[in-house]
């Protein structure tokens, strides 16, 4: 069950417009690698330490592959790819790597995960 709460937001394109109210998903805890390794080990014959080693190797290799500009596909979990934010230039010859302001990860969920999102249930909580 996904907890949601009501929040007010201004329109950034029209600050004089009245606020609108939206639902906002509320996080309900954090699951780290150790917890995932524990859960996986309880669902298989693999020891927790081995699961943790595989998860750490996955993280390391994902970082290496993303740094090479590759899309990392993790099956039905989805795809990860580096995206950038940069300054614009009025002329194409002014564009160069120094214009990059920041990098981020673009994530696109796989079909199975997208389908799972369709079946979620929501519970409104107070502010």
């Amino acid at each position: 069950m996904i907890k949601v709460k009501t929040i007010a937001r201004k329109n950034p394109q029209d600050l004089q417009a009245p606020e609108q109210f939206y639902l906002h998903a509320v996080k309900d805890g954090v699951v780290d690698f150790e917890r995932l390794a524990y859960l996986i080990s309880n669902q298989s014959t693999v020891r927790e330490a081995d699961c943790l080693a595989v998860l750490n190797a996955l993280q390391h290799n994902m970082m290496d592959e993303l740094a090479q500009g590759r899309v990392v596909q993790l099956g039905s979990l989805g795809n990860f790819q580096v995206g950038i934010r940069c300054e614009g230039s009025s002329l194409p010859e002014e564009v160069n790597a120094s214009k990059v302001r920041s990098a981020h990860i673009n994530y696109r969920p796989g079909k199975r995960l997208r389908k799972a999102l369709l079946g979620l249930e929501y519970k409104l909580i107070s502010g």
Side-chain angles (χ1 to χ4, degrees), residues 42-86:
N42 283 326
Q43 297 168 349
S44 67
T45 59
V46 181
R47 292 186 333 212
E48 185 177 342
D50 295 329
C51 292
L52 188 56
V54 169
L55 289 171
N56 282 321
L58 173 65
Q59 174 182 298
H60 173 80
N61 287 294
M62 275 185 70
M63 290 171 20
D64 284 350
E65 294 299 318
L66 289 168
Q68 296 298 315
R70 296 185 182 100
V71 174
V72 176
Q73 294 180 327
L74 292 181
S76 60
L77 186 61
N79 298 338
F80 297 80
Q81 181 178 4
V82 172
I84 59 170
R85 291 184 180 86
C86 64

Side-chain angles (χ1 to χ4, degrees), residues 86-99:
C86 64
E87 297 175 23
S89 296
S90 56
L91 299 171
E93 50 272 0
E94 293 177 348
V95 177
N96 58 52
S98 69
K99 299 283 187 178

Side-chain angles (χ1 to χ4, degrees), residues 7-124:
I7 61 167
R9 287 196 178 144
K10 286 198 168 282
N11 181 345
Q13 296 175 340
D14 182 5
L15 296 175
Q16 302 306 317
E19 289 181 326
Q20 295 284 314
F21 295 90
Y22 300 90
L23 288 177
H24 178 76
V26 177
K27 73 176 178 180
D28 193 16
V30 175
V31 178
D32 60 13
F33 267 13
E34 287 78 13
R35 174 73 176 153
L36 287 173
Y38 171 79
L39 293 170
I40 293 168
S41 71
N42 283 326
Q43 297 168 349
S44 67
T45 59
V46 181
R47 292 186 333 212
E48 185 177 342
D50 295 329
C51 292
L52 188 56
V54 169
L55 289 171
N56 282 321
L58 173 65
Q59 174 182 298
H60 173 80
N61 287 294
M62 275 185 70
M63 290 171 20
D64 284 350
E65 294 299 318
L66 289 168
Q68 296 298 315
R70 296 185 182 100
V71 174
V72 176
Q73 294 180 327
L74 292 181
S76 60
L77 186 61
N79 298 338
F80 297 80
Q81 181 178 4
V82 172
I84 59 170
R85 291 184 180 86
C86 64
E87 297 175 23
S89 296
S90 56
L91 299 171
E93 50 272 0
E94 293 177 348
V95 177
N96 58 52
S98 69
K99 299 283 187 178
V100 174
R101 287 195 322 247
S102 65
H104 57 274
I105 301 294
N106 290 326
Y107 168 70
R108 291 177 303 282
K111 269 186 194 176
R112 188 172 172 194
L113 197 53
R114 285 194 314 265
K115 284 183 181 178
L117 291 174
L118 299 174
L120 294 177
E121 295 181 24
Y122 304 93
K123 177 183 178 182
L124 182 63

